[in-house]
């Protein structure tokens, strides 16, 4: 479902204002580095405000992309980077659809936000991604329930670049403190689990933008 998003690079990420907030985030970065699991702090647009070394190591093999690097905006990475499925296992159901749900919620709350609108426009440029948002997402939520859109406590599959781990489940834990919430930020940690799956469902070949295809969560039209 990932594609090369068009358009220019988004405007620089928003900076949390206030000296106290900046000092808090600087100290919080020290805390993040002490965590052995991938952990990041994002704002309401999913711009990455802080991330630790374990997060960077998880995505170290990702190729450069003009608009969708994981350390810049995690939502854009999940939706638009062609390498997203190489790290985020079960990419469509486990990562892409839940993140589309979060985009929908964010747009309902902050509909005039220019960065969120930019992501929405990039979705609209691709017929399959647009079908995912308009048709696939409601169909998927009806099938699995609203709870599946929540990140806190969710189990997700990672294809870790460290060969000692390989395919590994992680539990996403929301560790947002009251201070982070006050400045509009969320902290998420991917707690890697010891139990590993014996096999991973094969990823579908990457498609080029503009090519035909059918999204698995969108009901196929009857002949």
């Amino acid at each position: 479902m990932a594609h090369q998003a068009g358009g220019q690079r988004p405007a620089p990420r928003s900076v949390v204002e206030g000296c106290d907030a900046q000092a808090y985030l600087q100290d919080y970065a020290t805390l993040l580095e002490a965590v052995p699991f991938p952990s990041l702090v994002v704002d309401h647009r999913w711009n990455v405000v802080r991330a630790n070394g374990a997060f960077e190591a998880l995505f170290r093999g990702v190729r450069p992309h003009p608009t969708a690097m994981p350390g810049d905006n995690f939502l854009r990475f999940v939706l638009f980077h062609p390498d997203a499925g190489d790290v985020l296992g079960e990419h469509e159901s486990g990562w892409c659809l839940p993140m589309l749900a979060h985009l929908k919620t964010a747009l309902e709350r902050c509909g005039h936000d220019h960065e969120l609108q930019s992501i929405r426009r990039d979705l609209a440029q691709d017929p399959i991604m647009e079908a995912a948002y308009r048709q696939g997402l409601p169909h998927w939520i009806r099938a699995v329930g609203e709870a599946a859109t929540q990140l806190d406590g969710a189990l997700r599959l990672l294809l870790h670049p460290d060969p000692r781990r390989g395919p590994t489940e992680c539990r996403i834990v929301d560790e947002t403190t009251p201070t982070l919430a006050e400045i509009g930020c969320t902290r998420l940690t991917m707690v890697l689990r010891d139990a590993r799956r014996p096999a991973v469902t094969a990823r579908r070949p990457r498609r080029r933008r503009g090519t035909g295809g059918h999204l698995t969560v969108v009901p196929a039209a009857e002949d």
Side-chain angles (χ1 to χ4, degrees):
M1 287 173 63
H3 78 286
Q4 293 277 356
Q8 298 179 347
R9 186 180 182 86
R13 73 186 62 170
S14 59
V15 177
V16 179
E17 297 180 355
C19 295
D20 290 343
Q22 287 292 337
Y24 181 85
L25 286 174
Q26 289 172 3
D27 291 338
Y28 204 88
T30 303
L31 175 63
L32 285 183
E33 283 302 327
V35 177
F37 303 118
S39 191
L40 70 163
V41 175
V42 296
D43 65 13
H44 72 281
R45 299 157 176 158
W46 288 87
N47 289 322
V48 177
V49 179
R50 294 289 188 276
N52 66 0
F55 179 87
E56 294 171 357
L58 178 63
F59 299 100
R60 66 190 179 197
V62 169
R63 294 171 295 175
H65 188 283
T67 63
M69 292 303 289
D72 291 339
N73 185 291
F74 192 69
L75 175 60
R76 278 188 169 275
F77 171 74
V78 173
L79 299 182
F80 300 132
H81 200 296
D83 293 346
D86 293 341
V87 183
L88 307 177
E90 300 173 344
H91 177 244
E92 182 179 308
S93 61
W95 296 91
C96 200
L97 286 164
M99 293 300 282
L100 283 175
H102 283 275
L103 173 62
K104 184 175 184 295
T105 299
L107 284 169
E108 290 171 352
R109 293 175 178 173
C110 309
H112 299 293
D113 186 282
H114 68 282
E115 287 193 46
L116 293 174
Q117 287 293 338
S118 175
I119 295 172
R120 182 66 186 93
R121 286 193 298 271
D122 282 345
L123 283 178
Q125 289 179 12
D126 185 281
I128 292 180
M129 291 298 291
E130 183 69 2
Y133 188 78
R134 288 186 175 274
Q135 299 171 253
L137 181 60
H139 174 74
W140 176 73
I141 291 175
R142 286 194 300 269
V144 301
E146 289 281 353
T149 67
Q150 302 303 311
L151 289 179
D152 184 42
L155 289 175
R156 297 288 184 260
L157 181 63
L158 294 175
L159 308 179
H160 205 288
D162 187 338
R164 294 171 297 179
R165 286 197 175 275
T168 304
E169 274 190 333
C170 74
R171 187 178 296 279
I172 300 178
V173 179
D174 187 332
E175 299 187 273
T176 305
T177 65
T179 301
L180 283 178
E182 185 179 346
I183 59 179
C185 291
T186 301
R187 177 189 173 184
L188 298 170
T189 299
M190 305 174 189
V191 181
L192 305 182
R193 308 178 85 202
D194 291 334
R196 304 179 190 178
R197 299 186 179 189
V200 180
T201 303
R203 294 186 298 273
R204 291 187 298 171
R206 294 176 187 145
R207 64 179 179 82
R208 295 180 180 177
R209 186 180 175 190
T211 60
H214 179 70
L215 189 70
T216 61
V217 296
V218 179
E222 296 182 359
D223 295 331

